[in-house]
């Protein structure tokens, strides 16, 4: 939450002339509910399962796209295998303080009751090593403007992925 997936993903997809797949919108389309409501109703494990299924479905789609995946998806070994096999993975990394500052105070986000710094620190300690193993490129999304981050990503894309530009 707050790393810039949508802020970066939309202009990146436009630059590549590809569709943008947003996890939150896809989750709502698949389940008819928000992440927070799904977590409250069915539990966090059910939410994370749905987020992973949504990412796997987006990766299997015939048209290549820019996917803003939920960070929880990195926890699944099947997802990490699929990302390593089927995707160019960009890790939008940001400092805990920046993520907390950007964290939306919204009922559509799960875990709103947990203290934000503790939540982000816990998630980072669990997920950062997994992101580091899977990512083809990491960028500090809190140290540059969105346009600069998009430019950095475009510079790192393999030639085959840049062909659509």
């Amino acid at each position: 939450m707050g790393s810039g997936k949508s802020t970066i993903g939309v202009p990146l997809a436009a630059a590549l002339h590809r569709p943008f797949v947003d996890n939150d919108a896809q989750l709502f389309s698949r389940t008819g509910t928000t992440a927070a409501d799904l977590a409250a109703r069915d539990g966090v494990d059910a939410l994370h399962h749905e987020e992973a299924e949504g990412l796997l479905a987006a990766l299997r789609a015939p048209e290549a796209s820019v996917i803003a995946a939920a960070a929880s998806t990195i926890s699944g070994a099947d997802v990490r295998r699929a990302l390593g096999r089927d995707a160019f993975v960009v890790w939008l990394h940001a400092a805990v303080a920046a993520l907390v500052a950007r964290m939306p105070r919204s009922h559509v986000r799960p875990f709103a009751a947990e203290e934000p710094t503790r939540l982000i620190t816990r998630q980072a300690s669990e997920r950062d090593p997994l992101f580091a193993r899977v990512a083809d490129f990491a960028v500090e999304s809190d140290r540059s403007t969105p346009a600069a981050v998009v430019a950095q990503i475009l510079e790192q894309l393999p030639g085959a992925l840049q062909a659509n530009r």
Side-chain angles (χ1 to χ4, degrees):
M1 290 179 276
S3 66
K5 294 182 302 291
S6 298
T7 300
I8 304 303
V10 170
L12 180 62
L16 294 170
H17 306 288
R18 294 185 180 192
F20 175 68
V21 178
D22 178 75
N23 177 75
D24 291 336
Q26 185 186 49
L27 180 73
F28 190 84
S29 176
R30 288 171 52 90
T31 67
T33 190
T34 65
D37 289 343
L38 182 61
R41 184 186 73 209
D42 299 337
V44 173
D45 290 342
L47 167 63
H48 291 171
H49 173 77
E50 285 296 334
E51 289 172 331
E53 287 301 311
L55 173 56
L56 291 169
L59 289 170
R60 288 189 300 266
E63 184 176 16
S65 57
V66 172
I67 305 167
S72 69
T73 60
I74 199 68
S75 298
D78 56 338
V79 169
R80 291 192 305 275
R81 278 190 299 277
L83 289 170
R85 182 181 61 242
D86 300 330
F88 183 86
V89 179
V90 176
W91 176 20
L92 298 177
H93 184 266
V96 170
L99 294 172
V100 169
R102 293 176 178 173
M103 194 172 173
R105 305 278 182 223
S106 167
H107 68 281
V108 300
R109 294 287 182 188
F111 320 117
E114 189 172 347
E115 195 277 319
T117 300
R118 186 175 19 248
L119 168 67
I120 299 299
T121 301
R122 177 177 56 79
Q123 289 177 337
S125 70
E126 295 166 358
R127 297 172 179 168
D128 284 5
L130 301 174
F131 282 118
R133 280 189 277 182
V134 172
D136 294 292
F137 176 66
V139 61
E140 299 297 325
S141 63
D142 61 331
R143 296 188 184 164
S144 299
T145 66
V149 172
V150 169
Q152 289 175 50
I153 294 168
L154 290 171
E155 289 174 10
Q156 294 298 316
L157 290 176
L161 293 176
Q162 290 187 17
N164 290 335
R165 287 177 61 192

